[in-house]
Amino acid sequence: MSVSFREEDVHLSRLPEDCRDVELQAFVDAVFALYQEPYKGMEGSFSCSYTEGLFEISWTPLGDPGTELMQVRALLEEGRNEEAIPLLVQLLEREPDNLEASHVLAMLLSGHRLIS
């Protein structure tokens, strides 16, 4: 899951009073904390970025094979094969019968070039 929004779309009333000035790093930090709060204690990956007035927030739950395979595909498209291998290993530890993950890992480990 990911969402993007502009800084002007942030409801300032949801932030601490000392973090409402959009020119301060405290504003960015408070927005990140606000959006991360619902995911605390959940296993997964939360990431935030802020560039030129645009926030991008994303959450990837741990154990969602579809999401993990999407991450693997994205890494492979970027030529980051070595980074895909640990994700595939983790996925296969939980789901040893996942044929797509098995196939992709075998191809990577045997040195074959994958075309998406």
Side-chain angles (χ1 to χ4, degrees), residues 2 8-9 19 25 34 36 41-42 56-58 63 70 73 78-79 89 92 96-97 99 102 104 107 110-111:
S2 58
E8 58 265 15
D9 296 328
C19 299
Q25 180 63 40
L34 176 69
Q36 188 172 11
M42 296 174 65
E56 293 190 30
I57 310 290
S58 87
M70 287 173 48
R73 289 183 199 113
E78 295 173 9
V89 169
L92 287 168
D97 295 330
L99 295 178
S102 295
V104 172
M107 296 297 283
S110 64

Side-chain angles (χ1 to χ4, degrees), residues 10-35 37:
V10 174
H11 295 280
L12 297 178
S13 63
R14 297 180 67 197
L15 303 177
E17 285 188 37
D18 60 341
C19 299
R20 294 180 182 173
D21 183 345
V22 297
E23 300 295 321
L24 299 177
Q25 180 63 40
F27 167 74
V28 175
D29 295 341
V31 172
F32 287 170
L34 176 69
Y35 280 85
E37 184 64 34

Side-chain angles (χ1 to χ4, degrees), residues 70-90:
M70 287 173 48
Q71 285 181 296
V72 166
R73 289 183 199 113
L75 289 170
L76 296 175
E77 287 175 12
E78 295 173 9
R80 297 164 55 190
N81 296 358
E82 292 300 316
E83 294 175 55
I85 291 172
L87 290 176
L88 290 164
V89 169
Q90 289 174 358

Side-chain angles (χ1 to χ4, degrees), residues 2 11 33 43 53 60 62 66 77 113:
S2 58
H11 295 280
E43 292 186 13
T60 304
L62 185 64
E77 287 175 12
R113 184 167 176 259

